[in-house]
Amino acid sequence: MNSLSQTPDAIQTEGAKLSDLVNPNMREILGDQNGELLPDMADAFVNMDYGQLYGRTGPDIKNRYIATNSARSAFGGQTAPQSKIAIQASHKSGLNDIEIAESIWQMVLSGGLSAAINGQNTLLEVLEQNKEPQGAP
């Protein structure tokens, strides 16, 4: 994990490594989708998300994905595409299906029942796509 005292180049390098670990090809996918209109978007996204935020000193990557899944589910169905990516990255960070489901379900108190159900449905879609449940802790 990086610290706030690292240079911008070091943060970018570490962010790229973390992105490749939990979301392989993220930079290429974003570049292919948005590069014509926003040529620097993919680099900016990877640098900000993985270098400046997920890579910070403090909570480990698993806890950061628990927070991400919780927040996205509280927003309801409007973040389903991004939630799917975060759920897949959560698995790669070491979270199992139950930990992810619980982090989503906890948002029933903050986002409401419908938002939590939408979050669980998004998780189920990812699990159906993967067909390889990650088991219990």
Side-chain angles (χ1 to χ4, degrees):
M1 295 290 178
N2 74 48
S3 71
L4 296 176
S5 62
Q6 282 186 305
T7 66
D9 287 342
I11 290 172
Q12 186 172 7
T13 300
E14 291 303 310
K17 288 179 189 176
L18 184 56
S19 175
D20 288 343
L21 176 69
V22 296
N23 278 316
N25 305 316
M26 174 66 72
R27 186 185 311 263
E28 291 79 16
I29 292 167
L30 288 173
D32 290 347
Q33 290 175 342
N34 302 288
E36 188 173 319
L37 296 174
L38 301 166
D40 61 346
M41 179 194 171
D43 289 336
F45 178 85
V46 169
N47 184 36
M48 181 178 57
D49 273 19
Y50 295 98
Q52 295 177 9
L53 298 174
Y54 282 120
R56 292 172 58 99
T57 302
D60 64 13
I61 192 67
K62 287 172 63 173
N63 283 305
R64 290 184 189 275
Y65 273 109
I66 287 172
T68 298
N69 291 322
S70 297
R72 290 200 190 285
S73 67
F75 282 120
Q78 68 188 14
T79 62
Q82 294 81 14
S83 293
K84 289 177 183 180
I85 294 168
I87 289 166
Q88 291 170 344
S90 297
H91 282 137
K92 291 175 184 159
S93 77
L95 290 171
N96 64 51
D97 297 343
I98 294 170
E99 292 168 321
I100 297 168
E102 285 293 332
S103 69
I104 293 169
W105 185 243
Q106 288 296 308
M107 291 301 99
V108 72
L109 299 172
S110 299
L113 185 60
S114 295
I117 289 171
N118 288 341
Q120 292 297 328
N121 287 339
T122 301
L123 171 59
L124 293 173
E125 287 178 31
V126 170
L127 296 179
E128 180 65 26
Q129 289 171 350
N130 292 345
K131 290 284 190 176
E132 295 182 19
Q134 301 298 312

